Amino acid sequence: MANAAAPTAAVPTLAPPLEQIRHLAEELRLLIPGVRVGEALETTKEFNPDTFWRRLNEAAVNVSREATTLTEVFSHLPLPSPQETQRFCEQVRAAIKAMIAVYYSLPKNQGITLRKLVRSTTLDIVDDMAQLMDALFMTPTQSSENNDLISYNSVWTACQQVPQIPRDNKAAALSMLTKNVDFVKDAHEEMEQAVEECDPYCGLLNDTEDNSDNHGDEEDDGLGYPNNRDLYWSEEDQELIIPCLALVRASKACLKKIRISVAENGKKDQVAQLDDIVDISDEISPSVDDLALSIYPPMCHLTVRINSAKLVSVLKKALEITKASHVTPQPEDSWIPLLINAVDHCMNRIKELTQNELEL
């Protein structure tokens, strides 16, 4: 009679605590590509904004709490046991996946612009949590740097941004338009400052050279720094910069007027038109940057002309889309034709000053 006991199933060996933390960081990063391209979940339930925002806030609070707990237990010796670490990791994993699931529950019909803002915040939280895992894995527990984990890691800051997300697509559109106005404003101010100082690189490239080289026998070229012609504007360059600056000012004016129109006349339920306005407006700032970069010496006038034409095309498209939308209740409103005329005037002047480039 066989009395031998059946062999017990082997209990899987848990990885050491720090290895579990490292694996969790890798796992979290694998979630990021899916969030970037993931679509909203199909559902027959009617979307409830109040419920959505409540769930999103609760999910962010939970992520922050789990991050704090994990940081505290890994900031001193002894480290938690492998079993305890497994439990902590499972809680972090569940909190992050719950956050992502809430994002997926935001339907497209609430606005693409709004979804982008929620997605961006969600991605920040996931990525920051992965960075926190890296810090816990890489920083020795006996190091004083561990005391600063909470302060230098941005996961808590990212979670605190959730209540600040605009609550509807119109508010989201205004948020994005405001950022674009600020970007163009900054680019314009940098261009003006460089022109006013007649020093595109603010002298940074010349200080050490001027102090170390002998320039006693060299003649000043009229711009203050001999043998640095590639670093400064010629008279023709400076003449071309004038309409370029005017074109950037017109870009800033376009964005400001579009933002005002959305603020005053935009309707929350017209999500598609608001998304279209934001999409084309998002192209203005990069186009301004391209033009701004092309005016720095050594300046290629043909490149300036090409980049100006690209910016003009984007501006006109933005104005036409705005004119055709509900935010312009009176399409004959004078501000749109005036801005189009201003943009055309700048471009015509740029063409005049760069005509020789086309004939070479």
Side-chain angles (χ1 to χ4, degrees):
M1 182 174 179
N3 292 324
T8 57
V11 178
T13 302
L14 292 175
L18 291 180
E19 279 299 306
Q20 292 188 50
I21 293 295
R22 184 178 66 83
H23 291 152
L24 179 58
E26 295 174 352
E27 183 179 343
L28 294 181
R29 288 197 170 91
L30 291 175
L31 297 174
I32 291 177
V35 177
R36 285 201 180 103
V37 301
E39 299 288 344
L41 295 177
E42 297 292 338
T43 179
T44 57
K45 294 182 179 179
E46 183 178 355
F47 178 73
N48 186 314
D50 293 336
T51 301
F52 170 80
W53 292 112
R54 176 180 54 78
R55 290 178 60 212
L56 193 68
N57 285 328
E58 290 174 351
V61 169
N62 191 31
V63 169
S64 181
R65 181 171 55 247
E66 296 300 336
T68 302
T69 300
L70 201 63
T71 301
E72 290 175 348
V73 298
F74 273 87
S75 295
H76 57 79
L77 294 174
L79 292 177
S81 68
Q83 291 75 18
E84 291 172 325
T85 301
Q86 182 184 45
R87 178 170 58 84
F88 288 133
C89 289
E90 287 175 351
Q91 291 171 346
V92 170
R93 188 181 297 108
I96 288 293
K97 290 187 174 181
M99 183 85 197
I100 295 173
V102 178
Y103 158 64
Y104 281 145
S105 71
L106 180 63
K108 284 184 177 181
N109 62 18
Q110 295 300 303
I112 300 300
T113 305
L114 180 61
R115 276 182 54 82
K116 286 180 179 179
L117 291 181
V118 177
R119 179 180 65 202
S120 176
T121 302
T122 303
L123 286 169
D124 286 344
I125 290 174
V126 178
D127 185 57
D128 290 341
M129 182 64 87
Q131 291 184 42
L132 176 58
M133 299 301 105
D134 289 338
L136 293 173
F137 173 73
M138 305 242 346
T139 309
T141 55
Q142 59 268 31
S143 169
S144 60
E145 293 181 15
N146 270 283
N147 297 327
D148 298 325
L149 276 173
I150 293 179
S151 62
Y152 73 63
N153 194 275
S154 57
V155 61
W156 294 273
T157 301
C159 290
Q160 290 170 359
Q161 293 303 309
V162 170
Q164 310 303 321
I165 300 174
R167 290 306 194 249
D168 58 66
N169 208 49
K170 177 182 176 180
L174 286 171
S175 174
M176 295 301 298
L177 290 170
T178 299
K179 287 182 180 179
N180 287 329
V181 170
D182 291 340
F183 289 153
V184 173
K185 179 182 177 183
D186 289 344
H188 180 252
E189 289 176 352
E190 290 176 5
M191 292 172 68
E192 280 194 325
Q193 181 180 358
V195 172
E196 288 173 2
E197 297 175 354
C198 289
D199 185 355
Y201 297 103
C202 300
L204 294 176
L205 299 180
N206 301 287
D207 291 344
T208 56
E209 294 178 2
D210 289 346
N211 290 333
S212 60
D213 295 342
N214 290 324
H215 297 305
D217 296 331
E218 296 173 347
E219 295 182 358
D220 196 316
D221 63 356
L223 292 175
Y225 297 94
N227 294 336
N228 280 333
R229 294 182 183 276
D230 284 348
L231 304 181
Y232 293 90
W233 290 301
S234 66
E235 291 184 3
E236 291 81 6
D237 292 342
Q238 294 183 46
E239 189 176 11
L240 180 56
I241 287 172
I242 294 174
C244 290
L245 274 173
L247 183 56
V248 174
R249 280 196 298 272
S251 302
K252 182 172 64 174
C254 287
L255 279 169
K256 283 185 174 181
K257 292 296 291 185
I258 291 172
R259 181 184 62 182
I260 291 172
S261 296
V262 170
E264 294 180 349
N265 304 313
K267 297 178 180 178
K268 296 179 181 180
D269 60 344
Q270 296 289 334
V271 292
Q273 290 187 6
L274 292 173
D275 286 336
D276 289 342
I277 291 172
V278 171
D279 282 345
I280 186 61
S281 297
D282 281 346
E283 297 182 26
I284 295 176
S285 177
S287 299
V288 166
D289 288 342
D290 289 342
L291 175 58
L293 289 173
S294 65
I295 72 166
Y296 282 83
M299 185 191 291
C300 173
H301 288 198
L302 183 57
T303 300
V304 172
R305 178 175 177 140
I306 292 171
N307 287 338
S308 298
K310 290 179 180 178
L311 175 56
V312 167
S313 175
V314 171
L315 290 172
K316 286 187 172 182
K317 187 175 180 181
L319 292 172
E320 290 299 330
I321 288 175
T322 302
K323 181 180 178 180
S325 74
H326 72 283
V327 304
T328 310
Q330 296 177 335
E332 67 278 6
D333 194 350
S334 61
W335 71 268
I336 291 181
L338 282 174
L339 282 174
I340 290 177
N341 289 337
V343 167
D344 283 338
H345 177 76
C346 295
M347 190 65 227
N348 288 336
R349 181 59 179 155
I350 291 170
K351 287 179 178 178
E352 292 175 8
L353 295 173
T354 57
Q355 188 60 34
N356 291 337
E357 296 290 329
L358 297 180
E359 297 174 354
L360 293 178

